Amino acid sequence: MRIMGLDVGSRTVGVAVSDPLGWTAQGVEIIPIDEEQQDFGLDRLRVLIEEYHVDRVIIGLPKNMNNTEGARAEASRNYGQMVIDQCHLPVEFQDERLTTVQAERMLVETADISRQKRKKVIDKLAAVLILQNYLDRLNM
């Protein structure tokens, strides 16, 4: 079973996939999107779903620190519904509080990468962390 993890933002969607055994997550790419123009990158997402033979999609849910959901969580849930409607796959949500902060910290600590370069990979790494957290919970 292959699982895809998504970190949905207003301008990009970070994409990660699991290995076939569902143990590890690997970053795939960052899909550019434009919420204002109603361009959600779903055509590219469908190509990746087919290419990696994905059976399920996990979407990061950006909850507030007090466990409530705001506008970004609602946008992630809406994106999930679009994936269900257009890709016909089951979608689950994974609490993603602090994954982008964690990803940024990993990039700063492990490599001397400029802020500009970090912006180009941060969403993909956040997708990896979202998916890996899900896989770890699944395989406990």
Side-chain angles (χ1 to χ4, degrees), residues 1-2 18-24 26:
M1 173 174 18
R2 270 267 167 91
S18 71
D19 68 287
L21 297 175
W23 291 98
T24 61
Q26 297 89 32

Side-chain angles (χ1 to χ4, degrees), residues 30-126:
I30 297 171
I31 301 172
I33 67 170
D34 187 340
E35 280 186 347
E36 289 182 13
Q37 299 296 317
Q38 301 293 301
D39 174 11
F40 297 103
L42 293 168
D43 290 339
R44 180 65 185 149
L45 186 65
R46 275 194 295 275
V47 168
L48 293 173
I49 285 170
E50 285 183 31
E51 182 179 332
Y52 288 95
H53 309 289
V54 172
D55 303 296
R56 165 181 319 255
V57 176
I58 307 307
I59 297 177
L61 192 63
K63 291 184 171 185
N64 298 319
M65 293 310 287
N66 65 0
N67 206 34
T68 61
E69 294 184 14
R72 287 310 318 157
E74 183 179 335
S76 291
R77 288 195 184 279
N78 290 340
Y79 197 90
Q81 190 59 54
M82 286 187 275
V83 172
I84 291 168
D85 294 344
Q86 296 189 29
C87 302
H88 311 290
L89 287 175
V91 170
E92 292 182 47
F93 295 92
Q94 171 71 31
D95 186 346
E96 70 161 52
R97 279 178 279 189
L98 302 179
T99 53
T100 302
V101 172
Q102 185 182 0
E104 177 110 21
R105 188 172 298 139
M106 287 172 68
L107 289 173
V108 169
E109 290 175 0
T110 60
D112 186 23
I113 299 175
S114 71
R115 180 181 300 287
Q116 194 63 25
K117 287 181 183 173
R118 279 198 307 265
K119 286 175 74 174
K120 293 180 180 175
V121 298
I122 194 101
D123 296 322
K124 183 166 52 172
L125 183 54

